[in-house]
């Protein structure tokens, strides 16, 4: 009797152990599957964020063209079959995406880009946005329902830029940074579980700044701040004032003939023959020298050229004798006067 009882307990222990092993195996497999799904969602978010940066550069580069373009393929940027639906291949050809950028990821079936225009379009007041959305929704493999766990992982990995179509709000696609009606364009709505990123007009860095060839305001009657050089192919006309922020010293070397600067003591200087020279040559000045006292009189008064500060002429002029006192006894001495003539 005791031996049979021990055998019964041993069999029960084996059954319990088998059940525990089965449960641990199922739990481990499920945990592994969840981690794989989370990793796929995070990888998809990183992939779509890279695509979003490319789309932002697309909008910034062609903002004025997109605002004035007709529908579809009419008047769009060169190289794009449909400006409202730029493809990954077209973005790569335009050097807005790296050539090695993958066409899709395992989750979401890749992504599509749609340009959204709002306001007075086509026209200069047209506002340009873009929506990047997954081609397929995030669904569980078994039930086919929306995988809110994968969507949550994707949203966390999107760093606040992401949004989605929630099952409880199928008429909206959006998140913390944007919100659009679903569908954002004429046609079928995006299915629940679709994840998306947006580039809104307010997020564009350069859309409100004048660019080369900008057609929105050819006369550009605003204020502009430029940190680099300005080069024109024609004359530069200024209706009011020109302010020169730097000063130079006359007769010092300069880099490029024709440059204009101001003199510390007042007046304008022009770079000529690689020297900073007074803008007006009429003030070449004059001076006198004394055989005993040099560049001053016997009373100690300076007789230097006020233009050069010494008994000399500017480099662009030559001295001409205009007076000679002749021999004089000490302390007067002989004095010769010069006029600097161009």
């Amino acid at each position: 009797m005791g031996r049979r009882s021990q055998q019964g307990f041993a069999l029960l222990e084996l059954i319990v152990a088998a059940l525990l092993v089965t449960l641990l195996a199922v739990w481990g497999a499920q945990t592994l599957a969840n981690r794989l799904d989370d990793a796929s969602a995070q990888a998809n978010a990183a992939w779509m964020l890279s695509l979003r940066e490319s789309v932002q550069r697309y909008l910034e580069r062609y903002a004025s063209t997109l605002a004035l373009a007709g529908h579809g393929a009419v008047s769009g940027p060169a190289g794009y079959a449909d400006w409202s639906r730029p493809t990954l291949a077209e973005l790569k050809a335009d050097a807005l995406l790296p050539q090695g950028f993958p066409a899709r990821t395992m989750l979401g079936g890749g992504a599509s880009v749609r340009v959204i225009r709002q306001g007075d379009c086509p026209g200069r007041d047209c506002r340009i946005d873009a929506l990047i959305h997954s081609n397929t929704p995030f669904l569980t493999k078994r039930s086919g329902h929306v995988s809110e766990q994968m969507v949550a992982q994707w949203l966390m990995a999107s760093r606040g830029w992401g949004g989605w179509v929630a099952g409880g709000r199928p008429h909206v696609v959006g998140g913390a940074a944007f919100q659009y009606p679903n569908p954002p364009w004429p046609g079928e709505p995006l299915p629940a579980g679709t994840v998306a990123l947006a580039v809104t007009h307010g997020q564009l860095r350069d859309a409100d700044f004048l660019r080369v060839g900008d057609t929105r305001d050819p006369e550009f009657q605003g204020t502009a701040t430029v940190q680099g050089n300005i080069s024109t192919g024609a004359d530069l006309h200024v209706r009011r004032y020109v302010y020169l922020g730097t000063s130079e010293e006359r007769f010092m070397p300069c880099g490029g003939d024709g440059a204009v600067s101001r003199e510390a003591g007042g007046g304008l200087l022009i770079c000529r023959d690689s020297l900073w020279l007074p803008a007006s040559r009429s003030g070449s000045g004059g001076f006198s020298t004394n055989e005993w006292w040099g560049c001053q009189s016997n009373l100690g008064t300076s007789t230097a050229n006020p233009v050069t500060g010494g008994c000399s002429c500017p480099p662009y002029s030559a001295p001409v004798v205009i007076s000679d006192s002749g021999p004089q006894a000490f302390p007067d001495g002989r004095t010769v006067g010069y006029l600097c003539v161009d």
Side-chain angles (χ1 to χ4, degrees), residues 251-259 269-278 281 314-317:
F251 312 127
M252 294 299 292
C254 55
D257 285 2
L269 298 176
I270 297 178
C271 183
R272 290 196 297 263
D273 299 326
S274 299
L275 291 176
W276 286 112
L277 303 177
R281 292 190 177 184
Y316 54 83
S317 63

Side-chain angles (χ1 to χ4, degrees), residues 41 56 267 277 331 342:
Q56 179 167 342
L277 303 177
D342 293 354

Side-chain angles (χ1 to χ4, degrees), residues 67-90:
L68 298 174
H71 298 288
V74 181
S75 304
Y80 292 87
D82 186 341
W83 59 261
S84 66
R85 299 185 182 186
T87 65
L88 271 65
E90 291 170 338

Side-chain angles (χ1 to χ4, degrees), residues 49-127:
L49 284 171
S50 297
L51 179 57
R52 179 188 178 277
E53 293 180 3
S54 170
V55 174
Q56 179 167 342
R57 291 194 294 269
Y58 170 76
L59 296 189
E60 290 171 348
R61 178 178 295 182
Y62 301 114
S64 59
T65 301
L66 299 177
L68 298 174
H71 298 288
V74 181
S75 304
Y80 292 87
D82 186 341
W83 59 261
S84 66
R85 299 185 182 186
T87 65
L88 271 65
E90 291 170 338
L91 293 172
K92 289 181 180 181
D94 202 9
L96 295 174
L97 265 181
Q99 291 299 319
F101 188 79
R104 55 179 296 170
T105 62
M106 294 180 61
L107 189 64
S112 296
V113 180
R114 292 291 296 267
V115 175
I116 304 172
R117 299 197 302 184
Q118 304 178 64
D120 186 12
C121 303
R124 294 178 180 175
D125 296 328
C126 182
R127 296 173 61 89

Side-chain angles (χ1 to χ4, degrees), residues 15-282:
I15 294 174
V16 171
L19 288 174
L20 289 175
V21 170
T22 302
L23 290 174
L24 289 173
V26 172
W27 176 80
Q30 185 62 40
T31 301
L32 179 60
N34 290 339
R35 289 185 177 180
L36 290 175
D37 288 343
D38 293 347
S40 297
Q42 293 169 8
N44 181 276
W47 180 81
M48 286 187 65
L49 284 171
S50 297
L51 179 57
R52 179 188 178 277
E53 293 180 3
S54 170
V55 174
Q56 179 167 342
R57 291 194 294 269
Y58 170 76
L59 296 189
E60 290 171 348
R61 178 178 295 182
Y62 301 114
S64 59
T65 301
L66 299 177
L68 298 174
H71 298 288
V74 181
S75 304
Y80 292 87
D82 186 341
W83 59 261
S84 66
R85 299 185 182 186
T87 65
L88 271 65
E90 291 170 338
L91 293 172
K92 289 181 180 181
D94 202 9
L96 295 174
L97 265 181
Q99 291 299 319
F101 188 79
R104 55 179 296 170
T105 62
M106 294 180 61
L107 189 64
S112 296
V113 180
R114 292 291 296 267
V115 175
I116 304 172
R117 299 197 302 184
Q118 304 178 64
D120 186 12
C121 303
R124 294 178 180 175
D125 296 328
C126 182
R127 296 173 61 89
I128 308 295
D129 293 5
L131 189 70
I132 305 100
H133 65 85
S134 61
N135 290 333
T136 59
F138 286 10
L139 305 177
T140 59
K141 295 180 180 179
R142 293 185 178 180
S143 65
H145 297 153
V146 174
S147 176
E148 295 187 357
Q149 177 181 336
M150 285 194 294
V151 171
Q153 287 292 330
W154 187 92
L155 291 174
M156 286 190 294
S158 69
R159 300 180 301 198
W161 294 107
W164 68 304
V165 180
R169 294 196 311 162
H171 59 284
V172 173
V173 52
F178 66 93
Q179 183 168 298
Y180 298 103
N182 187 25
W185 43 76
E188 295 295 323
L190 299 174
T194 300
V195 296
L197 295 166
V199 180
T200 65
H201 180 80
Q203 296 165 354
L204 299 180
R205 289 187 292 265
D206 300 329
D208 290 331
F209 294 91
L210 184 67
R211 295 188 301 278
V212 175
D214 202 322
T215 57
R216 293 172 298 171
D217 187 1
E219 297 182 1
F220 187 61
Q221 299 179 10
T223 300
T225 301
V226 180
Q227 295 185 1
N229 297 329
I230 296 179
S231 300
T232 68
D235 298 335
L236 179 64
H237 296 271
V238 180
R239 293 184 180 179
R240 293 191 63 187
Y241 311 112
V242 175
Y243 296 89
L244 303 176
T246 59
S247 62
E248 301 290 346
E249 295 183 18
R250 62 176 62 190
F251 312 127
M252 294 299 292
C254 55
D257 285 2
V260 178
S261 182
R262 63 183 177 86
E263 193 172 9
L268 289 178
L269 298 176
I270 297 178
C271 183
R272 290 196 297 263
D273 299 326
S274 299
L275 291 176
W276 286 112
L277 303 177
S280 175
R281 292 190 177 184
S282 61

